Amino acid sequence: MTKAQSNTMWGGRFDEKPDDIMEQINASIDIDKRLYKQDIAGSKAHAAMLAAQGIISDEDKAAIHKGLDQILGEIESGAFEFRRDLEDIHMNIESRLKELIGDAAGRLHTARSRNDQVATDFRLWVREACDAICERIEVFQETIDILEEQHADTIMPGFTHLQVAQPVTLARHLEAYACMLNRDKLRFIDCKDRLNKSPLGCAALAGTGFPIDREMTAKELGFDRPVNNTMDGVSARDFANEFLFCCAQAGLHLSRLAEEIILWSTPQFGFVSLSDAWSTGSSIMPQKKNPDAAELIRGKTGRLTGNLVQLMTVMKALPLTYNKDLQEDKEPVFDSFDTIILCLDAMNGMVASANWNTDKMLAAAQSGYSTATELADWLVRELGMPFRDAHHITGRVVKIAVTMGLRLDQLSLDDLQSVEPRITEGIFDYLSVETAVKMRK
Ligand code: ARG
């Protein structure tokens, strides 16, 4: 970063240059340079509108467009020099434009403020982020779809209180996550739809006296329409909070799955073995194979929730309209985006390459008396017993099985009839986990 003597963008009334630490706290370029593409698109739309309205000449508009295209190339090739003394992405680009095209650059900011400029850039960025996340969710949903097909008949225990409850299939268990992910996706789509209004033309806060055409810039940038209120337009960040919530919620769902994978990959469960590519070793215990990616997905929920809380707290008591606190809005949003993309990709890679130990799952389903509910239901259906009585009788049968160290389907008819003499041979169609699962298709 080089240092200018005074700020060329707003230093007119200033005699002294900013203190170094003032510059450090004020500058956002290290963070908001990620908005360069949106900033250039916004400026091009604004310049085109200014020319169409006769506010700037067509020659100036052409020079501005050409200069901005060159800057886009410079940034993408890494040739652009970002300067901290120019504070942020908006002033870095405008300053470079002045170097390239001279005075015409100064006309670009007519009828515009950085306040509506940054609000526009940021909405455009979050809109694209929503699309990118939805695409990654879909990739993982396809992985789950494939597993659901492969494991439609793979029996495993379903849990409540982390105790074996009733037999289910692995497909059904994974489908639950597909449902969560689908809602996550709908939330991002909804967030994107709601934010898609253009703040460009709100200027600093009160709009502008220039005869601008907000519909034109809104349309050019793919917004549905301009925002209704200029003061709301420059100061609203609920779209960013909403995006952060969407990320936090999706991360939370991934964290629940991560937790199950961590449990299931222990030798005690043994339901799943992670591939070497998705495991790590221990530097001291040679026997270990650790599910670090799953643990990190679980752990990163902390920062996703933290980012949401951060921006909510920044916004909580801000008076209308723009306050520099708002500059703190981008870091959590960029971080949550990077984090959720990484978590989705890691979860997808880990799950797609995992080995499912179907024998272990079946054995676990068989060992936990998971068909006890089937026995109770049979007593209700076949003997007309009230469910509460059937529940009690079944409890006594389970107790016998526990004492004898047998599964329910290994008990003899005599054992069963010692508790309830009216039980018949037909009960054995219901006591195995296979039949219990089929009953519930
Ligand atoms: N870098 C600023 C931000 O991100 C741009 C807007 C500055 N506006 C102002 N009135 N100082 O919020």
Side-chain angles (χ1 to χ4, degrees), residues 40-53:
I40 287 170
S43 288
K44 285 177 78 171
H46 185 65
M49 181 279 293
L50 291 176
Q53 295 297 99

Side-chain angles (χ1 to χ4, degrees), residues 28 32 88 90 114-115 118 322 324 326-327 329-330:
S28 56
D32 62 25
D88 57 24
H90 324 293
R114 272 189 295 158
N115 297 351
V118 71
Y322 183 86
K324 198 64 175 254
L326 288 175
Q327 186 165 277
D329 59 357
K330 288 163 217 75

